Amino acid sequence: MLLNRILTLLGALALTGLMHPTALAQNLTAQDEVLLQMQQAFTKGDRLRLQQLLTQAQGHTLEPWAAYWALRVRLDTASTEEIERMLSRYAGTYAEDRLRADWLLQLGKQRDWASFKRIHPGYRMRDDREIQCYALGIEAMDSKANVAAEVKRLWYSLREADDGCTYVAEHLHNSKKLSGDDIWRKARLAMDANRPKAARMAVEIEAPRVADQMTLIASDPERYLSKRIVAITHKRKELAVLALIRLASKDPDEAAELLEKKWGLMLSREEKDWTWGVIGKQAAQKLQDNAHSHFAKVRDDEHLNDDLLGWKVRAALRQQDWAVVQRAVAAMSPQEQRDPTWVYWGARAQLALARTEAQRQAVRAQLQGVASMRGFYEQLAAEELGQKIAAPATPSPLTPEEKALAWANPGLQRALHAIRIGLRNEGVREWNYSTNLHTRGGMNERELLAAADLACKAEVWDRCINTSERTPNEVDTAQRYPMPLHDIVVQRSGEIGLDPAYVYGLIRQESRFIMDARSHVGASGLMQVMPATAKWTARKIGLSGFEPRQLTDKNVNVRIGTAYLKLVLDDFGGSMPLAAAAYNAGPSRSRAWRKGPTLEGAIWAENVPFAETRNYVKKVLSNTTVYASIITGQPQSLKARLGTVGPRPPHQPEVNEDLP
């Protein structure tokens, strides 16, 4: 029966043309145009236009989206019966579950717990933290269950101020399930994350009478601290900690001086340790040499959270202080210690400090647990064990039945159709829901490989890569590291002396091979080139008549992008990590970040101040290593590509100040 249903659907898909890989290049239909108009009306909140267009969308592949948009804009006034009709009509779709999530958020804000409890069991995505907090709050109110630990985890992980977790935290605080220290911890985290509104909301729970002082703390922490002579009560001490945290983000040295000479005399040991940790973090993010000494004033690493401990490790790595690295990693939570980043650096520290071969063997066993070609630290762990990086064996081929199941998945087909007509955001959400969330636990490995195969054949490379990367055991290198435009990339790279593996490694990270990709800052195309940078590069290489709109042309984009990358790489003496950082964050920042001691490339990369650029450099270099193994057919070394990073050597040419 299942096979018959699959074949029936495949026949229908064949008639619509969706089965053919080139379907993504077909012209739009009149109904496709209706869907695009509805999406624009939804963005504008145009209720009338959405209702006018809704009937024209009936029978379209994306009809569930049309119905969602039309109802979502007036969800606050829609009747329960109307909402439930929509949920019933489009049961099992992303649009249904998305509307259910939106409704749950509305019910939570309205404190309609009876309706929330009735609707919540049908919610499948389970990925909204605010909804999770509302549900935990109801559980605590109904059964007196101890949900404090999970609420804290969710609340602490939310950067922005929210209603759900804040409301439940207040309820748990009032019932003595969350302590005052738990609430102050949230305020510290929010202030350190530059979210003063969220910090104030936390303070209003524990100390509402002094919450007004948060305005001055956020706007002028130095003035706040100068006006206070002493801090005797716990809440006054915590407010001083918040002010020092705020000041440290602007001037860690001034915050350190005030803590050393004045406030440290009044604060508790835990309060001082946390504040020194934040000051050390801010100094480390500015690559100041004294970051390590600030962290040294923390007496008990147990007083720091994983984020601060991570920055303590980074500062210690710059000073080659392996004993501190080892202690800081050991103080991290068990979950954080399992991250390949800290497995690797913890092992490196233990190897540096090991005195016996037995100790070294135990450390090698830790490295073996993460060593693979999957990522930056997995590759470094393999090399630490003497292994080169090579693509693993290809999994067993997908069967026709496995492929047919993917083709017959209506959610995947809706996703591909949405992407085809230009609704990429909606298509990506539909795809991710279908692969990850539609059923509890998501698709199994073979189903994921089949879904990735479907995306690959449709040349939707980002879904191909991201879906295939979710298989923990079966690794299909061709899916994870595709090479579209092979002839263009290889030929152009060869003409200007670039390693094609480096180009592919960068494109994979920049755009996932999305031809019309556009970033929030305006970078365009495969290699995500900014218009001004493209104009400058075009002049440099003598490309006459260039206009920024041409960046969506794959040939032009590769020509401009590779030319700029080569100019950047040459300016940084052939250093791939420095050039990658410059490509992402700009040459001036990369030049500033190379100042200081000469470091092994991995230590330098881990200390890049911007999280986005830090991850970017690591991913581009690990991508490059895998692509090199594919292109050459030979095992490769990530460490060789990382090299060492330090100040510009005297023999190198002067900096090209003209380089954008």
Side-chain angles (χ1 to χ4, degrees):
M1 289 295 292
L2 177 60
L3 182 58
N4 289 336
R5 290 201 300 272
I6 292 172
L7 293 174
T8 299
L9 180 52
L10 290 178
L13 292 172
L15 289 174
T16 64
L18 284 175
M19 268 193 65
H20 197 277
T22 59
L24 294 182
Q26 291 179 359
N27 295 328
L28 301 183
T29 66
Q31 268 200 320
D32 291 338
E33 296 285 1
V34 169
L35 265 293
L36 294 177
Q37 292 176 44
M38 290 192 72
Q39 194 272 342
Q40 293 171 5
F42 176 72
T43 302
K44 297 174 182 177
D46 190 339
R47 301 184 181 190
L48 179 60
R49 183 61 175 156
L50 284 164
Q51 286 303 125
Q52 291 172 340
L53 292 169
L54 182 57
T55 56
Q56 298 178 50
Q58 290 180 0
H60 190 275
T61 304
L62 301 179
E63 181 185 334
W65 276 96
Y68 168 77
W69 291 327
L71 187 54
R72 179 63 184 86
V73 294
R74 54 186 186 84
L75 184 62
D76 55 339
T77 60
S79 68
T80 297
E81 293 75 16
E82 189 176 10
I83 297 171
E84 290 186 335
R85 278 199 304 272
M86 191 275 187
L87 297 179
S88 175
R89 180 171 181 176
Y90 301 105
T93 67
Y94 170 82
E96 175 245 333
D97 214 34
R98 179 67 264 164
L99 186 71
R100 188 184 301 275
D102 296 336
W103 193 17
L104 286 168
L105 288 170
Q106 180 172 287
L107 293 170
K109 288 177 173 61
Q110 294 170 345
R111 310 296 187 248
D112 184 350
W113 304 128
S115 297
F116 188 101
K117 285 196 293 184
R118 181 173 60 84
I119 300 303
H120 184 257
Y123 175 50
R124 295 183 299 279
M125 286 189 278
R126 307 278 171 162
D127 63 342
D128 188 294
R129 293 171 183 170
E130 193 169 7
I131 293 175
Q132 290 179 54
C133 277
Y134 282 134
L136 288 167
I138 292 173
E139 185 180 349
M141 288 183 272
D142 284 357
S143 65
K144 308 302 180 185
N146 187 0
V147 299
E150 182 62 9
V151 169
K152 272 199 305 182
R153 185 188 69 79
L154 293 167
W155 193 34
Y156 289 176
S157 66
L158 285 167
R159 287 173 60 86
E160 304 299 336
D162 81 309
D163 176 73
C165 293
T166 303
Y167 171 81
V168 176
E170 184 172 11
H171 170 79
L172 293 175
H173 177 258
N174 292 339
S175 59
K176 310 300 182 184
K177 298 292 179 59
L178 284 183
S179 68
D181 286 342
D182 292 329
I183 307 301
W184 285 114
R185 172 63 64 94
K186 171 62 180 180
R188 294 181 192 179
L189 293 169
M191 190 64 78
D192 187 32
N194 192 26
R195 296 297 185 274
K197 179 181 177 182
R200 177 170 179 149
M201 289 176 68
V203 174
E204 286 172 344
I205 295 174
E206 169 62 15
R209 293 183 180 180
V210 299
D212 286 346
Q213 296 179 31
M214 292 295 293
T215 302
L216 180 58
I217 289 173
S219 62
D220 194 345
E222 187 177 16
R223 183 176 169 216
Y224 174 88
L225 292 166
S226 67
K227 289 176 65 177
R228 270 71 186 170
I229 299 174
V230 295
I232 299 174
T233 65
H234 181 51
K235 64 185 176 185
R236 295 291 178 185
K237 293 178 182 180
E238 286 288 354
L239 289 173
V241 169
L242 293 177
L244 288 166
I245 290 171
R246 187 67 167 174
L247 179 59
S249 67
K250 302 173 183 176
D251 190 340
D253 290 335
E254 184 178 358
E257 184 176 359
L258 285 172
L259 181 59
E260 187 79 61
K261 295 182 177 180
K262 178 181 177 180
W263 294 101
L265 303 174
M266 299 176 238
L267 301 181
S268 71
R269 183 70 262 167
E270 186 275 335
E271 291 162 345
K272 282 190 287 187
D273 281 351
W274 183 278
T275 308
W276 278 120
V278 172
I279 292 170
K281 170 187 171 179
Q282 295 294 342
Q285 290 182 335
K286 292 174 173 59
L287 299 181
Q288 294 179 190
D289 291 336
N290 60 1
H292 187 51
S293 61
H294 291 326
F295 276 118
K297 293 172 183 173
V298 175
R299 289 190 184 177
D300 188 349
D301 283 345
E302 298 295 330
H303 289 154
L304 306 184
N305 68 353
D306 288 336
D307 177 58
L308 296 178
L309 288 167
W311 283 102
K312 183 169 186 176
V313 170
R314 294 181 182 106
L317 286 171
R318 284 181 66 85
Q319 302 298 323
Q320 302 285 288
D321 191 336
W322 294 109
V324 169
V325 171
Q326 183 181 26
R327 289 197 300 271
V329 171
M332 292 177 177
S333 66
Q335 180 179 359
E336 191 73 4
Q337 287 183 36
R338 290 191 290 272
D339 186 293
T341 304
W342 310 123
V343 171
Y344 177 77
W345 288 120
R348 282 285 304 275
Q350 292 177 62
L351 285 173
L353 300 170
R355 295 184 178 181
T356 67
E357 183 57 28
Q359 290 174 329
R360 285 187 281 273
Q361 281 295 110
V363 175
R364 292 188 189 106
Q366 296 176 33
L367 289 170
Q368 191 63 55
V370 298
S372 74
M373 50 74 70
R374 290 175 180 272
F376 186 79
Y377 282 111
E378 291 88 340
Q379 292 179 19
L380 287 177
E383 290 203 58
E384 200 66 35
L385 295 169
Q387 306 165 13
K388 294 292 186 180
I389 311 307
T394 303
S396 57
L398 292 165
T399 66
E401 291 76 16
E402 287 173 326
K403 291 184 179 183
L405 281 170
W407 278 109
N409 186 301
L412 298 183
Q413 289 297 339
R414 279 193 296 271
L416 292 179
H417 195 91
I419 292 170
R420 178 181 74 81
I421 67 174
L423 298 176
R424 172 163 282 280
N425 288 339
E426 290 79 3
V428 167
R429 289 160 69 183
E430 183 89 52
W431 184 278
N432 291 346
Y433 169 76
S434 299
T435 56
N436 307 357
L437 301 168
H438 182 260
T439 56
R440 188 64 61 89
M443 292 181 173
N444 63 41
E445 290 202 34
R446 298 296 295 182
E447 291 170 335
L448 287 169
L449 290 174
D453 178 72
L454 174 64
C456 292
K457 284 185 167 57
E459 298 184 358
V460 182
W461 300 113
D462 61 322
R463 295 307 92 203
C464 168
I465 294 167
N466 290 15
T467 305
S468 190
E469 279 192 330
R470 293 191 60 241
T471 59
N473 300 309
E474 298 196 55
V475 178
D476 190 323
T477 308
Q479 290 181 350
R480 296 189 185 199
Y481 297 90
M483 290 191 287
L485 309 178
H486 178 272
D487 292 345
I488 295 173
V489 171
V490 172
Q491 179 181 345
R492 180 59 185 159
S493 300
E495 289 172 353
I496 61 176
L498 262 181
D499 181 355
Y502 191 40
V503 178
Y504 268 118
L506 185 139
I507 295 176
R508 185 181 188 271
Q509 184 58 27
E510 280 286 354
S511 68
R512 283 290 200 261
F513 303 100
I514 301 171
M515 305 297 177
D516 58 351
R518 190 173 182 84
S519 75
H520 68 282
V521 295
S524 299
L526 284 170
M527 298 190 70
Q528 290 290 278
V529 186
M530 293 291 290
T533 301
K535 288 181 179 179
W536 179 88
T537 306
R539 289 195 299 271
K540 279 286 185 181
I541 65 176
L543 182 60
S544 59
F546 170 78
E547 295 180 11
R549 60 182 175 80
Q550 294 175 275
L551 285 173
T552 55
D553 180 277
K554 58 182 180 291
N555 289 284
V556 174
N557 194 278
V558 170
R559 184 175 179 187
I560 293 285
T562 53
Y564 177 69
L565 180 59
K566 182 65 164 69
L567 290 166
V568 171
L569 189 63
D570 289 347
D571 191 63
F572 286 95
S575 170
M576 286 188 177
L578 278 169
Y583 199 97
N584 178 260
S588 61
R589 290 194 178 99
S590 201
R591 291 180 192 125
W593 295 337
R594 75 182 302 180
K595 295 176 181 177
T598 298
L599 303 168
E600 65 173 271
I603 292 177
W604 180 85
E606 190 55 50
N607 272 275
V608 169
F610 296 173
E612 177 189 324
T613 306
R614 181 166 63 250
N615 292 329
Y616 178 90
V617 170
K618 292 189 285 190
K619 288 178 180 177
V620 168
L621 269 291
S622 60
N623 290 347
T624 298
T625 306
V626 176
Y627 273 117
S629 72
I630 295 170
I631 292 170
T632 66
Q634 298 296 320
Q636 299 292 315
S637 169
L638 171 58
K639 284 189 174 183
R641 287 175 170 78
L642 287 167
T644 59
V645 176
R648 181 180 292 268
H651 66 271
Q652 280 191 9
E654 288 297 313
V655 169
N656 181 3
E657 297 290 356
D658 191 34
L659 189 68

